[in-house]
Amino acid sequence: MNMMPLMSLLSGAGIMGTFFYTMSTFDKQLGEFLTSYGLYIYALLFLLVYLKTAFVVLTFIPGDSLVFASGALAAVGSLNIETLAIVFFLATICGDNQNFSIGRLIKGWNSKRLKPFLLKETQLQRAEQFMNRYGKISIITARFIPLMRTTVPVASAIMNYSYRSFFRHNALGGFLWVFFWLLTGLLLGQMPIVEQHLVASLLVLSLIPFSIPVVLFLMKRKINKK
């Protein structure tokens, strides 16, 4: 195992800047990290998706594009698709369950001081409005929407959703999210143009999650007009 890439992150000036840059572009450097760390890459992928899911302040870490890039590498035989599916699914479940527990903690303590420390009030209000509008389906679809994927589990607990109901819908959402992005990466990764221009492909795909709220808004507006 070549430790030089990791050591270079921990030495010299601008350590934090280099660290944040590396984490935010991990999907684009996935092939290089795979060459350096071999099978340890699965542990790194689990950690990144877990952190992305569990902590709202770590939104700069790639999520959708990271799963897509992993699927693309699986398409050329560099990674195992079954192992990736298990790793990503467990990472999402662990992260979301942590946030559900945080929601119960906030609700149980009923602390006005604790809420701003763990989550901005405006973020929590948006999540609650989203859930009031779409009900339990929001737990499934939140996985595909930036920020909502982190805040909806917290709001679920505060809004008295049972853990069984939350877990069932969240697991389905996590499964669909992993299945969609891995399969997309697996299929498109076999196309020479995607393989040769992976970075450009990732930049385009990263815009997809931000289009979902726009689509939902337009759908609602159309329904209201009727």
Side-chain angles (χ1 to χ4, degrees):
M1 176 180 171
N2 183 7
M3 297 296 292
M4 290 304 295
L6 183 61
M7 294 303 295
S8 64
L9 291 177
L10 303 178
S11 62
I15 296 177
M16 292 305 295
T18 303
F19 174 78
F20 285 124
Y21 174 79
T22 302
M23 291 300 98
S24 63
T25 59
F26 196 93
D27 51 346
K28 301 172 184 63
Q29 303 180 63
L30 185 56
E32 298 175 22
F33 276 93
L34 175 60
T35 301
S36 299
Y37 302 119
L39 292 178
Y40 289 97
I41 196 68
Y42 292 109
L44 288 173
L45 290 172
F46 175 91
L47 180 63
L48 286 173
V49 172
Y50 165 74
L51 292 175
K52 169 79 172 182
T53 303
F55 300 98
V56 70
V57 295
L58 299 180
T59 53
F60 61 88
I61 296 177
D64 307 328
S65 57
L66 182 63
V67 180
F68 172 85
S70 300
L73 287 178
V76 295
S78 299
L79 291 171
N80 181 271
I81 193 68
E82 290 85 3
T83 304
L84 287 172
I86 294 172
V87 165
F88 288 135
F89 180 72
L90 291 179
T92 62
I93 293 299
C94 290
D96 287 333
N97 273 267
Q98 172 187 298
N99 283 335
F100 186 84
S101 299
I102 289 174
R104 281 192 166 176
L105 184 66
I106 292 174
K107 186 176 185 299
W109 285 7
N110 193 26
S111 173
K112 294 182 179 180
R113 294 180 179 179
L114 188 61
K115 285 185 180 181
F117 176 75
L118 296 174
L119 198 64
K120 290 182 179 179
E121 190 68 29
T122 54
Q123 293 173 333
L124 188 57
Q125 288 174 355
R126 290 194 194 101
E128 291 176 346
Q129 291 170 2
F130 180 70
M131 296 191 69
N132 285 329
R133 184 177 303 170
Y134 300 105
K136 294 179 180 179
I137 300 299
S138 62
I139 301 176
I140 300 173
T141 57
R143 184 71 245 172
F144 294 86
I145 303 175
L147 293 182
M148 286 298 172
R149 69 186 64 179
T150 305
T151 54
V152 161
V154 178
S156 299
I158 294 176
M159 296 174 69
N160 292 320
Y161 277 80
S162 69
Y163 176 72
R164 178 178 295 180
S165 177
F166 167 78
F167 183 86
R168 184 169 62 249
H169 290 85
N170 177 250
L172 177 57
F175 170 80
L176 292 174
W177 179 74
V178 172
F179 179 81
F180 174 80
W181 285 111
L182 267 186
L183 184 62
T184 302
L186 187 65
L187 294 177
L188 296 183
Q190 299 176 37
M191 300 172 61
I193 189 172
V194 174
E195 184 180 355
Q196 295 168 9
H197 302 89
L198 182 59
V199 174
S201 302
L202 292 173
L203 290 174
V204 173
L205 287 166
S206 65
L207 298 176
I208 293 178
F210 293 95
S211 67
I212 295 177
V214 177
V215 172
L216 291 174
F217 171 78
L218 294 175
M219 288 176 61
K220 184 188 177 186
R221 188 176 179 181
K222 186 176 181 180
I223 293 173
N224 290 337
K225 284 184 177 180
K226 292 181 179 180

